[in-house]
Amino acid sequence: MRPLTDEEFSALFEDYQSSAFRLETRQVYTVPQFDESLRKFLAGDPKPESFNAAWHARIGRYVAAGKTMQRAKFVRRPLTDYSRYLLSWGVPGNVVAGEDYRILDVTDRTVDLPEQDFWIFDDETVALLNFNEDGTVRGHELADSAHLDQYRKWRDLALSEAIPWSEYRLQHPSDGQ
């Protein structure tokens, strides 16, 4: 494994040609740029119309260029405040922008997937996302290509076990409230 600088990690998004997939395992992500919106969500404020607009525009550009972006998100009940916020304020806009966002409820079951967040770009590059206990990013690493087949298997398993956001939303309409 090789550490990635923030610039190298960002370049993976700009440089990928066809597909990006993320396994999102944590129940809390501490992202300073979202502190204020999380506070507003928890206070019951309405979601601003421009919430996460830059990311949505980015997804839209990828989709318009023929690229795909997929994500499988672990959830555990009871949902954390962060997960409720994500499911209410984050995921719907990502889906509208063109992201294939799926939910994998692991509350009462075990799925043979790692508790390690990662992105796979173009089926050939794996970036690991490392976090501190409080959910802040510790850093990113480029995974050893010798393990690429395992990450592909994990991606395929996550996608087969997760359900599309729209289906999850119908099954759990109060999540995110």
Side-chain angles (χ1 to χ4, degrees):
M1 288 190 242
R2 178 179 72 75
L4 290 170
T5 65
D6 290 342
E7 294 78 21
E8 289 172 320
F9 181 68
S10 292
L12 292 171
F13 290 90
E14 295 309 317
D15 296 343
Y16 86 93
Q17 299 299 304
S18 62
S19 65
F21 166 83
R22 175 161 178 197
L23 181 65
E24 193 171 279
T25 66
R26 297 186 57 84
Q27 301 309 293
V28 174
Y29 294 92
T30 304
V31 183
Q33 74 187 48
F34 293 123
D35 286 350
E36 181 65 15
S37 60
L38 176 58
R39 185 194 63 70
K40 287 180 177 183
F41 168 78
L42 293 174
D45 292 353
K47 179 174 72 171
E49 286 188 34
S50 63
F51 178 76
N52 217 11
W55 179 249
H56 299 153
R58 193 177 203 184
I59 294 169
R61 285 194 310 274
Y62 297 153
V63 171
K67 300 177 183 184
T68 62
M69 181 170 284
Q70 297 178 297
R71 198 180 309 226
K73 163 75 177 137
F74 285 12
V75 295
R76 289 188 180 86
R77 297 181 182 284
L79 297 179
T80 62
D81 287 345
Y82 178 86
S83 289
R84 290 185 314 104
Y85 160 75
L86 179 70
L87 295 175
S88 181
W89 282 28
V91 176
N94 290 15
V95 171
V96 168
E99 186 172 347
D100 175 8
Y101 209 113
R102 301 179 190 198
I103 305 296
L104 179 54
D105 190 333
V106 294
T107 303
D108 296 320
R109 67 183 184 140
T110 302
V111 181
D112 190 21
L113 291 167
E115 293 281 333
Q116 168 72 56
D117 283 35
F118 63 86
W119 280 97
I120 298 179
F121 297 95
D122 293 328
D123 218 25
E124 62 187 39
T125 302
V126 176
L128 305 177
L129 290 74
N130 300 313
F131 295 91
N132 296 309
E133 285 300 313
D134 68 354
T136 55
V137 174
R138 186 173 60 245
H140 307 98
E141 296 175 288
L142 194 61
D144 187 327
S145 61
H147 303 294
L148 182 57
D149 283 341
Q150 181 61 59
Y151 286 100
R152 290 176 182 148
K153 288 177 186 174
W154 283 330
R155 176 205 52 212
D156 295 347
L157 178 60
L159 290 171
S160 72
E161 293 290 325
I163 60 174
W165 160 247
S166 58
E167 185 178 330
Y168 179 84
R169 190 174 189 179
L170 290 173
Q171 292 177 10
H172 305 280
S174 65
D175 283 5
Q177 304 304 316

